[in-house]
Amino acid sequence: LTLEERLAQYVVEGSKDGLIKDLDEALQKYPPLEIINGPLMNGMSEVGRLFNNNELIVAEVLQSAEVMKTSVSHLEPFMEKASSSTKGKIILATVKGDVHDIGKNLVEIILSNNGYEIVNLGIKVPPEDLIRAYRETEADAIGLSGLLVKSAHQMVTTAQDLKAAGIDVPILVGGAALSRKFTENRISPEYDGLVVYARDAMRGLDLANQIMD
Ligand code: B1M
């Protein structure tokens, strides 16, 4: 197997044997984010496909998620970091009912490496916790992540609850179950502030920079 194929394979098989050595070799060829967005994400897509076909069980997918998390933490110190002045404060959360957090945590790394102060509320975060955190932190924006179809609908409810609480800071949304259309047609009308959709973590950073300007 090529290096790229081996990296995808670790994720698919949920195995860490030789992973760090291969990640270090990959770092000689690619910037860290390219390793994540390329071979590691290819592995994760394959995991999703196999899981969908009932060829993997949840316990196996969890091991794949562990490989992804270990890889991201190993690569993180090699990522580019901008100056330390803070550009703004952003609350991040995976919405109520959803445990997927690898994408959200990647967004946290990218934003915090680029000058944002992040308040990460974790997973399965109900709207009331977001409202409380907003009041405590006076954040400049709220970032919501969700991978399940029901999470896309939960974001609509969350936007309604934030609005009812009088909050209108920009909301950044992302995650596999969302789309620009869903965001524009379903989430935005339920909220008074700006709602923007990011298809990946780098786009999330671009949008955060635009929002804060
Ligand atoms: Co789950 N899962 N899972 N899972 N899982 C999916 C999402 C699924 C598509 C798999 C499939 O069937 N093909 C499917 C959803 C079906 C649907 O609703 N459409 C699914 C299911 C069904 C489930 C369970 C219900 C399974 C079960 O129990 N029967 C269950 C849900 C439990 C719950 O949430 N209540 C479940 C559980 C799990 C595990 C716990 C085993 C594990 C998660 C571990 C963890 O996160 N700690 C897991 C995993 C790993 C996946 C897949 C395989 C991979 C997700 C992932 O980490 N991708 C996934 C299939 C897939 O997506 N191919 C699947 C890598 C990550 C970097 O990408 O999070 O998309 P992603 O983030 C991207 C962008 O989306 C974006 O940036 C990132 C890239 O730069 N982004 C943002 C994300 N959030 C953002 C926020 C932003 C901006 C950008 O701003 C705030």
PDB file of all heavy atoms in Angstrom, residues 89-95 104 107-108 111 118-122 125 130 134 139-146 155 158 162 169-175 178 191 196 198 204 208 211-212:
ATOM      1  N   LYS A  89     -14.510  35.911  20.363  1.00  0.00           N
ATOM      2  CA  LYS A  89     -14.818  34.747  21.181  1.00  0.00           C
ATOM      3  C   LYS A  89     -15.972  33.981  20.528  1.00  0.00           C
ATOM      4  O   LYS A  89     -16.985  34.574  20.164  1.00  0.00           O
ATOM      5  CB  LYS A  89     -15.244  35.242  22.562  1.00  0.00           C
ATOM      6  CG  LYS A  89     -15.179  34.186  23.637  1.00  0.00           C
ATOM      7  CD  LYS A  89     -15.750  34.712  24.948  1.00  0.00           C
ATOM      8  CE  LYS A  89     -14.813  35.696  25.648  1.00  0.00           C
ATOM      9  NZ  LYS A  89     -15.406  36.161  26.925  1.00  0.00           N
ATOM     10  N   ILE A  90     -15.806  32.674  20.370  1.00  0.00           N
ATOM     11  CA  ILE A  90     -16.844  31.875  19.712  1.00  0.00           C
ATOM     12  C   ILE A  90     -17.208  30.675  20.584  1.00  0.00           C
ATOM     13  O   ILE A  90     -16.336  29.942  21.051  1.00  0.00           O
ATOM     14  CB  ILE A  90     -16.373  31.390  18.321  1.00  0.00           C
ATOM     15  CG1 ILE A  90     -16.016  32.600  17.431  1.00  0.00           C
ATOM     16  CG2 ILE A  90     -17.446  30.530  17.649  1.00  0.00           C
ATOM     17  CD1 ILE A  90     -15.566  32.236  16.019  1.00  0.00           C
ATOM     18  N   ILE A  91     -18.503  30.484  20.781  1.00  0.00           N
ATOM     19  CA  ILE A  91     -18.995  29.298  21.499  1.00  0.00           C
ATOM     20  C   ILE A  91     -19.177  28.190  20.467  1.00  0.00           C
ATOM     21  O   ILE A  91     -19.727  28.422  19.393  1.00  0.00           O
ATOM     22  CB  ILE A  91     -20.355  29.595  22.171  1.00  0.00           C
ATOM     23  CG1 ILE A  91     -20.204  30.660  23.255  1.00  0.00           C
ATOM     24  CG2 ILE A  91     -20.959  28.320  22.754  1.00  0.00           C
ATOM     25  CD1 ILE A  91     -21.535  31.136  23.842  1.00  0.00           C
ATOM     26  N   LEU A  92     -18.725  26.987  20.777  1.00  0.00           N
ATOM     27  CA  LEU A  92     -18.931  25.848  19.878  1.00  0.00           C
ATOM     28  C   LEU A  92     -19.685  24.748  20.592  1.00  0.00           C
ATOM     29  O   LEU A  92     -19.432  24.470  21.771  1.00  0.00           O
ATOM     30  CB  LEU A  92     -17.586  25.263  19.431  1.00  0.00           C
ATOM     31  CG  LEU A  92     -16.775  25.977  18.368  1.00  0.00           C
ATOM     32  CD1 LEU A  92     -15.534  25.150  18.035  1.00  0.00           C
ATOM     33  CD2 LEU A  92     -17.591  26.227  17.110  1.00  0.00           C
ATOM     34  N   ALA A  93     -20.587  24.080  19.858  1.00  0.00           N
ATOM     35  CA  ALA A  93     -21.333  22.976  20.460  1.00  0.00           C
ATOM     36  C   ALA A  93     -21.832  22.022  19.388  1.00  0.00           C
ATOM     37  O   ALA A  93     -22.177  22.440  18.284  1.00  0.00           O
ATOM     38  CB  ALA A  93     -22.531  23.529  21.235  1.00  0.00           C
ATOM     39  N   THR A  94     -21.865  20.739  19.722  1.00  0.00           N
ATOM     40  CA  THR A  94     -22.625  19.781  18.914  1.00  0.00           C
ATOM     41  C   THR A  94     -24.033  19.810  19.488  1.00  0.00           C
ATOM     42  O   THR A  94     -24.210  19.762  20.713  1.00  0.00           O
ATOM     43  CB  THR A  94     -22.038  18.361  19.028  1.00  0.00           C
ATOM     44  OG1 THR A  94     -20.694  18.370  18.539  1.00  0.00           O
ATOM     45  CG2 THR A  94     -22.852  17.371  18.208  1.00  0.00           C
ATOM     46  N   VAL A  95     -25.036  19.905  18.608  1.00  0.00           N
ATOM     47  CA  VAL A  95     -26.399  20.151  19.094  1.00  0.00           C
ATOM     48  C   VAL A  95     -26.979  18.984  19.888  1.00  0.00           C
ATOM     49  O   VAL A  95     -26.499  17.844  19.809  1.00  0.00           O
ATOM     50  CB  VAL A  95     -27.363  20.526  17.943  1.00  0.00           C
ATOM     51  CG1 VAL A  95     -26.975  21.863  17.313  1.00  0.00           C
ATOM     52  CG2 VAL A  95     -27.464  19.414  16.910  1.00  0.00           C
ATOM     53  N   LYS A 104     -16.372  19.089  14.944  1.00  0.00           N
ATOM     54  CA  LYS A 104     -16.423  20.286  15.807  1.00  0.00           C
ATOM     55  C   LYS A 104     -15.059  20.554  16.442  1.00  0.00           C
ATOM     56  O   LYS A 104     -14.602  21.694  16.504  1.00  0.00           O
ATOM     57  CB  LYS A 104     -17.477  20.104  16.905  1.00  0.00           C
ATOM     58  CG  LYS A 104     -17.380  21.148  18.008  1.00  0.00           C
ATOM     59  CD  LYS A 104     -18.367  20.932  19.138  1.00  0.00           C
ATOM     60  CE  LYS A 104     -18.172  19.652  19.911  1.00  0.00           C
ATOM     61  NZ  LYS A 104     -16.901  19.591  20.685  1.00  0.00           N
ATOM     62  N   VAL A 107     -12.769  22.090  14.046  1.00  0.00           N
ATOM     63  CA  VAL A 107     -13.098  23.510  13.902  1.00  0.00           C
ATOM     64  C   VAL A 107     -12.488  24.291  15.077  1.00  0.00           C
ATOM     65  O   VAL A 107     -11.894  25.359  14.891  1.00  0.00           O
ATOM     66  CB  VAL A 107     -14.639  23.718  13.844  1.00  0.00           C
ATOM     67  CG1 VAL A 107     -15.005  25.196  13.913  1.00  0.00           C
ATOM     68  CG2 VAL A 107     -15.222  23.077  12.581  1.00  0.00           C
ATOM     69  N   GLU A 108     -12.567  23.719  16.284  1.00  0.00           N
ATOM     70  CA  GLU A 108     -11.974  24.397  17.449  1.00  0.00           C
ATOM     71  C   GLU A 108     -10.475  24.615  17.247  1.00  0.00           C
ATOM     72  O   GLU A 108      -9.947  25.703  17.499  1.00  0.00           O
ATOM     73  CB  GLU A 108     -12.199  23.581  18.733  1.00  0.00           C
ATOM     74  CG  GLU A 108     -11.449  24.202  19.902  1.00  0.00           C
ATOM     75  CD  GLU A 108     -11.612  23.484  21.234  1.00  0.00           C
ATOM     76  OE1 GLU A 108     -12.016  22.302  21.246  1.00  0.00           O
ATOM     77  OE2 GLU A 108     -11.327  24.113  22.261  1.00  0.00           O
ATOM     78  N   LEU A 111      -9.839  27.324  14.529  1.00  0.00           N
ATOM     79  CA  LEU A 111     -10.180  28.676  14.977  1.00  0.00           C
ATOM     80  C   LEU A 111      -9.218  29.138  16.074  1.00  0.00           C
ATOM     81  O   LEU A 111      -8.744  30.275  16.039  1.00  0.00           O
ATOM     82  CB  LEU A 111     -11.621  28.734  15.496  1.00  0.00           C
ATOM     83  CG  LEU A 111     -12.735  28.602  14.447  1.00  0.00           C
ATOM     84  CD1 LEU A 111     -14.102  28.588  15.135  1.00  0.00           C
ATOM     85  CD2 LEU A 111     -12.690  29.731  13.421  1.00  0.00           C
ATOM     86  N   ILE A 118     -12.035  30.114  22.079  1.00  0.00           N
ATOM     87  CA  ILE A 118     -13.146  29.176  21.891  1.00  0.00           C
ATOM     88  C   ILE A 118     -13.687  28.693  23.226  1.00  0.00           C
ATOM     89  O   ILE A 118     -12.929  28.318  24.117  1.00  0.00           O
ATOM     90  CB  ILE A 118     -12.684  27.946  21.068  1.00  0.00           C
ATOM     91  CG1 ILE A 118     -12.145  28.379  19.706  1.00  0.00           C
ATOM     92  CG2 ILE A 118     -13.818  26.937  20.906  1.00  0.00           C
ATOM     93  CD1 ILE A 118     -13.123  29.123  18.829  1.00  0.00           C
ATOM     94  N   VAL A 119     -15.000  28.697  23.329  1.00  0.00           N
ATOM     95  CA  VAL A 119     -15.663  28.097  24.482  1.00  0.00           C
ATOM     96  C   VAL A 119     -16.370  26.857  23.936  1.00  0.00           C
ATOM     97  O   VAL A 119     -17.390  26.960  23.261  1.00  0.00           O
ATOM     98  CB  VAL A 119     -16.690  29.076  25.099  1.00  0.00           C
ATOM     99  CG1 VAL A 119     -17.365  28.456  26.319  1.00  0.00           C
ATOM    100  CG2 VAL A 119     -16.035  30.400  25.449  1.00  0.00           C
ATOM    101  N   ASN A 120     -15.778  25.685  24.181  1.00  0.00           N
ATOM    102  CA  ASN A 120     -16.318  24.447  23.601  1.00  0.00           C
ATOM    103  C   ASN A 120     -17.235  23.772  24.623  1.00  0.00           C
ATOM    104  O   ASN A 120     -16.780  23.279  25.642  1.00  0.00           O
ATOM    105  CB  ASN A 120     -15.149  23.521  23.216  1.00  0.00           C
ATOM    106  CG  ASN A 120     -15.610  22.318  22.407  1.00  0.00           C
ATOM    107  OD1 ASN A 120     -16.797  21.959  22.413  1.00  0.00           O
ATOM    108  ND2 ASN A 120     -14.685  21.694  21.698  1.00  0.00           N
ATOM    109  N   LEU A 121     -18.523  23.752  24.315  1.00  0.00           N
ATOM    110  CA  LEU A 121     -19.498  23.201  25.269  1.00  0.00           C
ATOM    111  C   LEU A 121     -19.671  21.693  25.135  1.00  0.00           C
ATOM    112  O   LEU A 121     -20.444  21.102  25.871  1.00  0.00           O
ATOM    113  CB  LEU A 121     -20.854  23.889  25.099  1.00  0.00           C
ATOM    114  CG  LEU A 121     -20.916  25.399  25.314  1.00  0.00           C
ATOM    115  CD1 LEU A 121     -22.357  25.894  25.181  1.00  0.00           C
ATOM    116  CD2 LEU A 121     -20.370  25.790  26.679  1.00  0.00           C
ATOM    117  N   GLY A 122     -18.991  21.079  24.140  1.00  0.00           N
ATOM    118  CA  GLY A 122     -19.062  19.627  24.025  1.00  0.00           C
ATOM    119  C   GLY A 122     -20.203  19.139  23.150  1.00  0.00           C
ATOM    120  O   GLY A 122     -20.578  19.812  22.185  1.00  0.00           O
ATOM    121  N   VAL A 125     -25.624  19.340  23.269  1.00  0.00           N
ATOM    122  CA  VAL A 125     -25.829  20.586  24.009  1.00  0.00           C
ATOM    123  C   VAL A 125     -27.234  21.154  23.741  1.00  0.00           C
ATOM    124  O   VAL A 125     -27.543  21.537  22.613  1.00  0.00           O
ATOM    125  CB  VAL A 125     -24.757  21.636  23.632  1.00  0.00           C
ATOM    126  CG1 VAL A 125     -24.990  22.934  24.382  1.00  0.00           C
ATOM    127  CG2 VAL A 125     -23.353  21.095  23.921  1.00  0.00           C
ATOM    128  N   LEU A 130     -26.688  26.680  25.694  1.00  0.00           N
ATOM    129  CA  LEU A 130     -26.087  27.681  24.807  1.00  0.00           C
ATOM    130  C   LEU A 130     -26.456  29.085  25.262  1.00  0.00           C
ATOM    131  O   LEU A 130     -25.615  29.993  25.274  1.00  0.00           O
ATOM    132  CB  LEU A 130     -26.584  27.474  23.370  1.00  0.00           C
ATOM    133  CG  LEU A 130     -25.884  26.359  22.599  1.00  0.00           C
ATOM    134  CD1 LEU A 130     -26.720  25.940  21.403  1.00  0.00           C
ATOM    135  CD2 LEU A 130     -24.499  26.817  22.141  1.00  0.00           C
ATOM    136  N   TYR A 134     -23.869  31.845  26.455  1.00  0.00           N
ATOM    137  CA  TYR A 134     -23.793  33.138  25.761  1.00  0.00           C
ATOM    138  C   TYR A 134     -23.857  34.281  26.771  1.00  0.00           C
ATOM    139  O   TYR A 134     -23.087  35.232  26.698  1.00  0.00           O
ATOM    140  CB  TYR A 134     -24.912  33.275  24.716  1.00  0.00           C
ATOM    141  CG  TYR A 134     -24.897  34.650  24.122  1.00  0.00           C
ATOM    142  CD1 TYR A 134     -23.923  34.996  23.184  1.00  0.00           C
ATOM    143  CD2 TYR A 134     -25.783  35.637  24.564  1.00  0.00           C
ATOM    144  CE1 TYR A 134     -23.842  36.286  22.689  1.00  0.00           C
ATOM    145  CE2 TYR A 134     -25.715  36.915  24.069  1.00  0.00           C
ATOM    146  CZ  TYR A 134     -24.739  37.245  23.130  1.00  0.00           C
ATOM    147  OH  TYR A 134     -24.658  38.517  22.646  1.00  0.00           O
ATOM    148  N   ALA A 139     -20.131  36.010  23.962  1.00  0.00           N
ATOM    149  CA  ALA A 139     -19.364  35.624  22.781  1.00  0.00           C
ATOM    150  C   ALA A 139     -19.796  36.440  21.559  1.00  0.00           C
ATOM    151  O   ALA A 139     -20.899  36.994  21.526  1.00  0.00           O
ATOM    152  CB  ALA A 139     -19.570  34.136  22.509  1.00  0.00           C
ATOM    153  N   ASP A 140     -18.905  36.486  20.570  1.00  0.00           N
ATOM    154  CA  ASP A 140     -19.188  37.243  19.334  1.00  0.00           C
ATOM    155  C   ASP A 140     -19.954  36.411  18.326  1.00  0.00           C
ATOM    156  O   ASP A 140     -20.513  36.945  17.366  1.00  0.00           O
ATOM    157  CB  ASP A 140     -17.866  37.693  18.699  1.00  0.00           C
ATOM    158  CG  ASP A 140     -17.063  38.525  19.667  1.00  0.00           C
ATOM    159  OD1 ASP A 140     -17.519  39.636  19.982  1.00  0.00           O
ATOM    160  OD2 ASP A 140     -16.004  38.054  20.137  1.00  0.00           O
ATOM    161  N   ALA A 141     -19.922  35.084  18.488  1.00  0.00           N
ATOM    162  CA  ALA A 141     -20.634  34.213  17.553  1.00  0.00           C
ATOM    163  C   ALA A 141     -20.858  32.865  18.217  1.00  0.00           C
ATOM    164  O   ALA A 141     -20.193  32.527  19.202  1.00  0.00           O
ATOM    165  CB  ALA A 141     -19.824  34.032  16.265  1.00  0.00           C
ATOM    166  N   ILE A 142     -21.804  32.099  17.652  1.00  0.00           N
ATOM    167  CA  ILE A 142     -22.100  30.756  18.163  1.00  0.00           C
ATOM    168  C   ILE A 142     -21.921  29.772  17.006  1.00  0.00           C
ATOM    169  O   ILE A 142     -22.453  29.996  15.912  1.00  0.00           O
ATOM    170  CB  ILE A 142     -23.536  30.685  18.713  1.00  0.00           C
ATOM    171  CG1 ILE A 142     -23.683  31.624  19.922  1.00  0.00           C
ATOM    172  CG2 ILE A 142     -23.917  29.252  19.093  1.00  0.00           C
ATOM    173  CD1 ILE A 142     -25.105  31.760  20.449  1.00  0.00           C
ATOM    174  N   GLY A 143     -21.160  28.703  17.229  1.00  0.00           N
ATOM    175  CA  GLY A 143     -20.950  27.696  16.188  1.00  0.00           C
ATOM    176  C   GLY A 143     -21.639  26.402  16.560  1.00  0.00           C
ATOM    177  O   GLY A 143     -21.433  25.877  17.655  1.00  0.00           O
ATOM    178  N   LEU A 144     -22.480  25.888  15.645  1.00  0.00           N
ATOM    179  CA  LEU A 144     -23.212  24.654  15.906  1.00  0.00           C
ATOM    180  C   LEU A 144     -22.806  23.578  14.922  1.00  0.00           C
ATOM    181  O   LEU A 144     -22.737  23.818  13.714  1.00  0.00           O
ATOM    182  CB  LEU A 144     -24.720  24.898  15.768  1.00  0.00           C
ATOM    183  CG  LEU A 144     -25.329  25.979  16.659  1.00  0.00           C
ATOM    184  CD1 LEU A 144     -26.808  26.175  16.295  1.00  0.00           C
ATOM    185  CD2 LEU A 144     -25.187  25.606  18.129  1.00  0.00           C
ATOM    186  N   SER A 145     -22.563  22.377  15.451  1.00  0.00           N
ATOM    187  CA  SER A 145     -22.207  21.259  14.594  1.00  0.00           C
ATOM    188  C   SER A 145     -23.243  20.155  14.772  1.00  0.00           C
ATOM    189  O   SER A 145     -23.780  19.964  15.858  1.00  0.00           O
ATOM    190  CB  SER A 145     -20.816  20.740  15.000  1.00  0.00           C
ATOM    191  OG  SER A 145     -20.447  19.640  14.201  1.00  0.00           O
ATOM    192  N   GLY A 146     -23.514  19.414  13.682  1.00  0.00           N
ATOM    193  CA  GLY A 146     -24.442  18.292  13.768  1.00  0.00           C
ATOM    194  C   GLY A 146     -24.303  17.396  12.554  1.00  0.00           C
ATOM    195  O   GLY A 146     -24.180  17.884  11.434  1.00  0.00           O
ATOM    196  N   MET A 155     -31.169  22.173  14.826  1.00  0.00           N
ATOM    197  CA  MET A 155     -30.583  23.513  14.670  1.00  0.00           C
ATOM    198  C   MET A 155     -31.666  24.565  14.447  1.00  0.00           C
ATOM    199  O   MET A 155     -31.517  25.717  14.856  1.00  0.00           O
ATOM    200  CB  MET A 155     -29.578  23.516  13.527  1.00  0.00           C
ATOM    201  CG  MET A 155     -28.294  22.837  13.944  1.00  0.00           C
ATOM    202  SD  MET A 155     -26.993  23.129  12.792  1.00  0.00           S
ATOM    203  CE  MET A 155     -25.893  21.800  13.228  1.00  0.00           C
ATOM    204  N   THR A 158     -32.991  25.207  17.817  1.00  0.00           N
ATOM    205  CA  THR A 158     -31.991  25.964  18.581  1.00  0.00           C
ATOM    206  C   THR A 158     -32.020  27.442  18.177  1.00  0.00           C
ATOM    207  O   THR A 158     -31.999  28.324  19.039  1.00  0.00           O
ATOM    208  CB  THR A 158     -30.592  25.352  18.359  1.00  0.00           C
ATOM    209  OG1 THR A 158     -30.631  23.976  18.753  1.00  0.00           O
ATOM    210  CG2 THR A 158     -29.531  26.071  19.175  1.00  0.00           C
ATOM    211  N   LEU A 162     -32.786  30.541  20.639  1.00  0.00           N
ATOM    212  CA  LEU A 162     -31.838  31.649  20.817  1.00  0.00           C
ATOM    213  C   LEU A 162     -32.551  32.972  20.541  1.00  0.00           C
ATOM    214  O   LEU A 162     -32.400  33.954  21.264  1.00  0.00           O
ATOM    215  CB  LEU A 162     -30.633  31.487  19.876  1.00  0.00           C
ATOM    216  CG  LEU A 162     -29.676  30.324  20.195  1.00  0.00           C
ATOM    217  CD1 LEU A 162     -28.644  30.149  19.077  1.00  0.00           C
ATOM    218  CD2 LEU A 162     -28.948  30.553  21.523  1.00  0.00           C
ATOM    219  N   VAL A 169     -26.487  37.235  17.818  1.00  0.00           N
ATOM    220  CA  VAL A 169     -25.111  37.190  17.289  1.00  0.00           C
ATOM    221  C   VAL A 169     -25.074  36.209  16.115  1.00  0.00           C
ATOM    222  O   VAL A 169     -25.920  35.325  16.013  1.00  0.00           O
ATOM    223  CB  VAL A 169     -24.066  36.712  18.327  1.00  0.00           C
ATOM    224  CG1 VAL A 169     -23.761  37.792  19.329  1.00  0.00           C
ATOM    225  CG2 VAL A 169     -24.479  35.411  18.977  1.00  0.00           C
ATOM    226  N   PRO A 170     -24.085  36.360  15.226  1.00  0.00           N
ATOM    227  CA  PRO A 170     -24.012  35.437  14.090  1.00  0.00           C
ATOM    228  C   PRO A 170     -23.895  33.972  14.532  1.00  0.00           C
ATOM    229  O   PRO A 170     -23.243  33.675  15.532  1.00  0.00           O
ATOM    230  CB  PRO A 170     -22.731  35.867  13.370  1.00  0.00           C
ATOM    231  CG  PRO A 170     -22.525  37.290  13.764  1.00  0.00           C
ATOM    232  CD  PRO A 170     -23.044  37.401  15.161  1.00  0.00           C
ATOM    233  N   ILE A 171     -24.557  33.090  13.786  1.00  0.00           N
ATOM    234  CA  ILE A 171     -24.443  31.650  14.030  1.00  0.00           C
ATOM    235  C   ILE A 171     -23.743  31.020  12.837  1.00  0.00           C
ATOM    236  O   ILE A 171     -24.107  31.261  11.682  1.00  0.00           O
ATOM    237  CB  ILE A 171     -25.827  30.973  14.191  1.00  0.00           C
ATOM    238  CG1 ILE A 171     -26.621  31.593  15.336  1.00  0.00           C
ATOM    239  CG2 ILE A 171     -25.668  29.478  14.454  1.00  0.00           C
ATOM    240  CD1 ILE A 171     -27.988  30.917  15.530  1.00  0.00           C
ATOM    241  N   LEU A 172     -22.735  30.192  13.153  1.00  0.00           N
ATOM    242  CA  LEU A 172     -22.014  29.441  12.126  1.00  0.00           C
ATOM    243  C   LEU A 172     -22.449  27.988  12.274  1.00  0.00           C
ATOM    244  O   LEU A 172     -22.378  27.440  13.368  1.00  0.00           O
ATOM    245  CB  LEU A 172     -20.514  29.590  12.416  1.00  0.00           C
ATOM    246  CG  LEU A 172     -19.518  28.854  11.549  1.00  0.00           C
ATOM    247  CD1 LEU A 172     -19.555  29.394  10.123  1.00  0.00           C
ATOM    248  CD2 LEU A 172     -18.104  29.030  12.123  1.00  0.00           C
ATOM    249  N   VAL A 173     -22.946  27.391  11.185  1.00  0.00           N
ATOM    250  CA  VAL A 173     -23.373  25.992  11.289  1.00  0.00           C
ATOM    251  C   VAL A 173     -22.577  25.111  10.343  1.00  0.00           C
ATOM    252  O   VAL A 173     -22.140  25.540   9.271  1.00  0.00           O
ATOM    253  CB  VAL A 173     -24.898  25.828  11.019  1.00  0.00           C
ATOM    254  CG1 VAL A 173     -25.725  26.588  12.038  1.00  0.00           C
ATOM    255  CG2 VAL A 173     -25.274  26.234   9.600  1.00  0.00           C
ATOM    256  N   GLY A 174     -22.375  23.844  10.736  1.00  0.00           N
ATOM    257  CA  GLY A 174     -21.661  22.906   9.882  1.00  0.00           C
ATOM    258  C   GLY A 174     -21.942  21.479  10.293  1.00  0.00           C
ATOM    259  O   GLY A 174     -22.483  21.228  11.372  1.00  0.00           O
ATOM    260  N   GLY A 175     -21.560  20.554   9.416  1.00  0.00           N
ATOM    261  CA  GLY A 175     -21.786  19.135   9.696  1.00  0.00           C
ATOM    262  C   GLY A 175     -22.441  18.468   8.510  1.00  0.00           C
ATOM    263  O   GLY A 175     -23.153  19.108   7.737  1.00  0.00           O
ATOM    264  N   LEU A 178     -26.030  18.954   6.944  1.00  0.00           N
ATOM    265  CA  LEU A 178     -26.506  20.279   6.556  1.00  0.00           C
ATOM    266  C   LEU A 178     -26.165  20.608   5.119  1.00  0.00           C
ATOM    267  O   LEU A 178     -25.395  19.914   4.468  1.00  0.00           O
ATOM    268  CB  LEU A 178     -25.848  21.333   7.434  1.00  0.00           C
ATOM    269  CG  LEU A 178     -26.318  21.367   8.874  1.00  0.00           C
ATOM    270  CD1 LEU A 178     -25.431  22.293   9.657  1.00  0.00           C
ATOM    271  CD2 LEU A 178     -27.760  21.821   8.951  1.00  0.00           C
ATOM    272  N   TYR A 191     -34.313  33.019  12.771  1.00  0.00           N
ATOM    273  CA  TYR A 191     -33.340  33.721  13.619  1.00  0.00           C
ATOM    274  C   TYR A 191     -33.197  35.163  13.154  1.00  0.00           C
ATOM    275  O   TYR A 191     -33.289  35.445  11.953  1.00  0.00           O
ATOM    276  CB  TYR A 191     -32.001  32.986  13.512  1.00  0.00           C
ATOM    277  CG  TYR A 191     -30.950  33.417  14.510  1.00  0.00           C
ATOM    278  CD1 TYR A 191     -31.118  33.204  15.868  1.00  0.00           C
ATOM    279  CD2 TYR A 191     -29.776  34.042  14.077  1.00  0.00           C
ATOM    280  CE1 TYR A 191     -30.156  33.594  16.782  1.00  0.00           C
ATOM    281  CE2 TYR A 191     -28.797  34.430  14.987  1.00  0.00           C
ATOM    282  CZ  TYR A 191     -28.990  34.208  16.344  1.00  0.00           C
ATOM    283  OH  TYR A 191     -28.027  34.595  17.239  1.00  0.00           O
ATOM    284  N   VAL A 196     -24.682  31.419   8.889  1.00  0.00           N
ATOM    285  CA  VAL A 196     -23.853  31.018   7.750  1.00  0.00           C
ATOM    286  C   VAL A 196     -23.463  29.550   7.849  1.00  0.00           C
ATOM    287  O   VAL A 196     -23.275  29.013   8.939  1.00  0.00           O
ATOM    288  CB  VAL A 196     -22.572  31.882   7.612  1.00  0.00           C
ATOM    289  CG1 VAL A 196     -22.924  33.286   7.163  1.00  0.00           C
ATOM    290  CG2 VAL A 196     -21.780  31.924   8.904  1.00  0.00           C
ATOM    291  N   ALA A 198     -20.852  26.438   6.853  1.00  0.00           N
ATOM    292  CA  ALA A 198     -19.476  26.103   6.462  1.00  0.00           C
ATOM    293  C   ALA A 198     -19.389  24.623   6.117  1.00  0.00           C
ATOM    294  O   ALA A 198     -19.750  23.778   6.934  1.00  0.00           O
ATOM    295  CB  ALA A 198     -18.522  26.399   7.610  1.00  0.00           C
ATOM    296  N   GLY A 204     -15.063  27.426   7.681  1.00  0.00           N
ATOM    297  CA  GLY A 204     -15.548  27.976   8.947  1.00  0.00           C
ATOM    298  C   GLY A 204     -14.666  29.139   9.394  1.00  0.00           C
ATOM    299  O   GLY A 204     -15.160  30.179   9.831  1.00  0.00           O
ATOM    300  N   ALA A 208     -15.751  32.968   9.771  1.00  0.00           N
ATOM    301  CA  ALA A 208     -15.570  33.648  11.060  1.00  0.00           C
ATOM    302  C   ALA A 208     -14.818  34.953  10.831  1.00  0.00           C
ATOM    303  O   ALA A 208     -15.201  36.005  11.364  1.00  0.00           O
ATOM    304  CB  ALA A 208     -14.818  32.750  12.034  1.00  0.00           C
ATOM    305  N   ILE A 211     -17.187  37.448   9.341  1.00  0.00           N
ATOM    306  CA  ILE A 211     -18.178  37.909  10.328  1.00  0.00           C
ATOM    307  C   ILE A 211     -17.560  38.943  11.265  1.00  0.00           C
ATOM    308  O   ILE A 211     -18.179  39.936  11.615  1.00  0.00           O
ATOM    309  CB  ILE A 211     -18.682  36.709  11.175  1.00  0.00           C
ATOM    310  CG1 ILE A 211     -19.588  35.806  10.350  1.00  0.00           C
ATOM    311  CG2 ILE A 211     -19.409  37.182  12.418  1.00  0.00           C
ATOM    312  CD1 ILE A 211     -19.888  34.474  11.047  1.00  0.00           C
ATOM    313  N   MET A 212     -16.318  38.705  11.687  1.00  0.00           N
ATOM    314  CA  MET A 212     -15.691  39.563  12.700  1.00  0.00           C
ATOM    315  C   MET A 212     -15.190  40.873  12.099  1.00  0.00           C
ATOM    316  O   MET A 212     -14.883  41.794  12.840  1.00  0.00           O
ATOM    317  CB  MET A 212     -14.506  38.850  13.369  1.00  0.00           C
ATOM    318  CG  MET A 212     -14.870  37.569  14.053  1.00  0.00           C
ATOM    319  SD  MET A 212     -16.017  37.819  15.434  1.00  0.00           S
ATOM    320  CE  MET A 212     -16.586  36.161  15.672  1.00  0.00           C
TER     321      MET A 212
END
